[in-house]
Amino acid sequence: MSRVTTKGQVTIPKEVREALGIRPGDEVSFDETEEGYVIRKEAPTTEAGEDPFEKYRGTAGDGSMSERMRRLRGEYPRGENDSDGEEP
């Protein structure tokens, strides 16, 4: 059982947080039903109600995953004659 603070805050029990996948900073909603209220984890949104990750979709660029991983690992730039990526 949880107790409501004077600010209207309540601690969600650990078992419930784990079952719903709720982590610090996540948003939850309280939906009214005939039996009472249901708590639900919401998808992340901005203050305007938009998906905060939408602006990043499709920005990884062209190229294969192995090429991207080589760039991330600092294996680029390669020499101009290294067409197969192997050292001479």
Side-chain angles (χ1 to χ4, degrees), residues 55-85:
K55 65 182 176 182
Y56 300 109
R57 294 194 201 289
T59 60
D62 295 329
S64 69
M65 181 58 74
S66 58
E67 288 173 350
R68 290 182 203 145
M69 293 306 296
R70 282 195 290 268
R71 283 189 202 102
L72 288 171
R73 292 181 186 127
E75 297 173 10
Y76 277 105
R78 299 210 181 275
E80 292 182 23
N81 295 331
D82 291 342
S83 61
D84 63 359

Side-chain angles (χ1 to χ4, degrees), residues 3-78:
R3 185 171 301 207
V4 179
T5 69
T6 57
K7 292 184 177 183
Q9 298 170 334
V10 64
T11 300
I12 301 171
K14 181 179 179 182
E15 300 83 29
V16 176
R17 292 191 317 265
E18 289 175 348
L20 293 175
I22 297 173
R23 295 156 88 191
D26 285 346
E27 295 179 2
V28 296
S29 65
F30 299 89
D31 300 324
E32 188 173 10
T33 68
E34 291 182 13
E35 292 82 30
Y37 282 86
V38 174
I39 185 173
R40 182 168 47 103
K41 178 181 174 180
E42 292 290 333
T45 59
T46 65
E47 288 183 12
E50 300 165 349
D51 181 348
F53 303 106
E54 185 62 36
K55 65 182 176 182
Y56 300 109
R57 294 194 201 289
T59 60
D62 295 329
S64 69
M65 181 58 74
S66 58
E67 288 173 350
R68 290 182 203 145
M69 293 306 296
R70 282 195 290 268
R71 283 189 202 102
L72 288 171
R73 292 181 186 127
E75 297 173 10
Y76 277 105
R78 299 210 181 275

